[in-house]
Amino acid sequence: MKAYKKYMAELVGAFTLVFIAAGAVCADFYLRREGGQGLGLLGISIAYGVVMIVVIYATSYISGSHVNPAVTISFWISKRMDPNTAIMYILSQITGAIIAGLALKVLFPEALNTVYLGTCMLSPGVSIGRGILMEFIVTFFLVFTVYGTLVDKRATAGFAGVAIGMVTLFGAMIGGTISGGAMNPARVFGPAIASGQFTHHYVWWIGPILGGIVAGFVYDQLFADVRK
């Protein structure tokens, strides 16, 4: 398969993921502004989890459906991907996320200076350390699930999308009360570029990337098939 097809799949996948996940936050704001109940944390988390399922089934056979720099960096560190390919994956993911953020800026202009187009923020009273720890933990679960379903050949075929989507949903629901439960630097970076909101932005790079690296190390050391 041509390499550019993998990069385009990562770009389109990241665009879709960020547009729906961050767009759900924007839609929730618009609904509440009009006096409705809004989507709430559960609705926003469901949107994130379901779009992850969709993206995985749509692109996994093309690029592996990383759509997340934390996943790609984990693969890079665990030597499942060469550096040049990893860099191109990350650039593709970030590009897709930025395009999604700009699209949301056009579609939801009143969400620009209110919910910052769905950019994750630390909840009031939450320290930087707590935010990083939350993102570390929920990303660990996510990347561990990726290794156990998409990477490990012993896994039951066809269930990776559902498994990863569900852990994304639960991670967003639990992490949403602390750090937004992004589990993905691109998920935050795209809306941040479009909205200009970069407060404590490094939280959503440090936590997810460390969580992904540790998940890959733990899986390789304790659970991977040593016969491969």
Side-chain angles (χ1 to χ4, degrees):
M1 181 179 294
K2 299 291 186 180
Y4 77 88
K5 292 184 178 181
K6 296 182 178 181
Y7 307 146
M8 285 303 301
E10 287 296 301
L11 187 153
V12 173
F15 169 85
T16 305
L17 185 71
V18 174
F19 184 83
I20 298 299
V25 178
C26 297
D28 177 71
F29 165 74
Y30 271 64
L31 290 169
R32 290 180 183 275
R33 185 194 60 177
E34 298 301 322
Q37 289 187 334
L39 301 177
L41 177 58
L42 178 59
I44 292 169
S45 300
I46 290 173
Y48 196 2
V50 171
V51 73
M52 179 64 81
I53 294 173
V54 172
V55 168
I56 288 172
Y57 286 131
T59 65
S60 61
Y61 62 95
I62 302 173
S63 67
S65 293
H66 290 197
V67 294
N68 185 340
V71 174
T72 300
I73 291 172
S74 180
F75 274 46
W76 182 357
I77 297 298
S78 64
K79 298 182 179 179
R80 286 179 168 82
M81 178 173 282
D82 68 84
N84 291 333
T85 301
I87 291 171
M88 289 303 299
Y89 264 48
I90 293 169
L91 290 176
S92 299
Q93 294 154 6
I94 290 174
T95 300
I98 292 173
I99 295 172
L102 295 175
L104 291 172
K105 184 176 182 178
V106 174
L107 294 169
F108 297 99
E110 294 182 29
L112 178 61
N113 297 315
T114 49
V115 293
Y116 306 107
L117 303 175
T119 302
C120 291
M121 301 284 290
L122 295 177
S123 296
V126 172
S127 67
I128 293 171
R130 283 176 64 195
I132 291 175
L133 180 59
M134 175 58 80
E135 289 295 322
F136 173 92
I137 292 172
V138 292
T139 307
F140 175 92
F141 293 150
L142 173 63
V143 177
F144 186 87
T145 304
V146 169
Y147 275 76
T149 58
L150 276 178
V151 177
D152 199 320
K153 301 304 181 183
R154 297 169 296 172
T156 303
F159 288 96
V162 174
I164 296 169
M166 290 303 292
V167 79
T168 299
L169 190 161
F170 293 133
M173 188 165 55
I174 296 171
T177 61
I178 302 293
S179 61
M183 301 166 279
N184 183 340
R187 156 68 184 84
V188 184
F189 187 70
I193 285 288
S195 68
Q197 175 53 261
F198 285 96
T199 303
H200 304 136
H201 185 71
Y202 51 86
V203 166
W204 294 278
W205 287 89
I206 295 174
I209 289 174
L210 290 180
I213 291 173
V214 173
F217 178 81
V218 169
Y219 198 90
D220 278 348
Q221 295 300 313
L222 299 180
F223 303 104
D225 188 349
V226 297
R227 297 170 297 177
K228 67 180 180 178

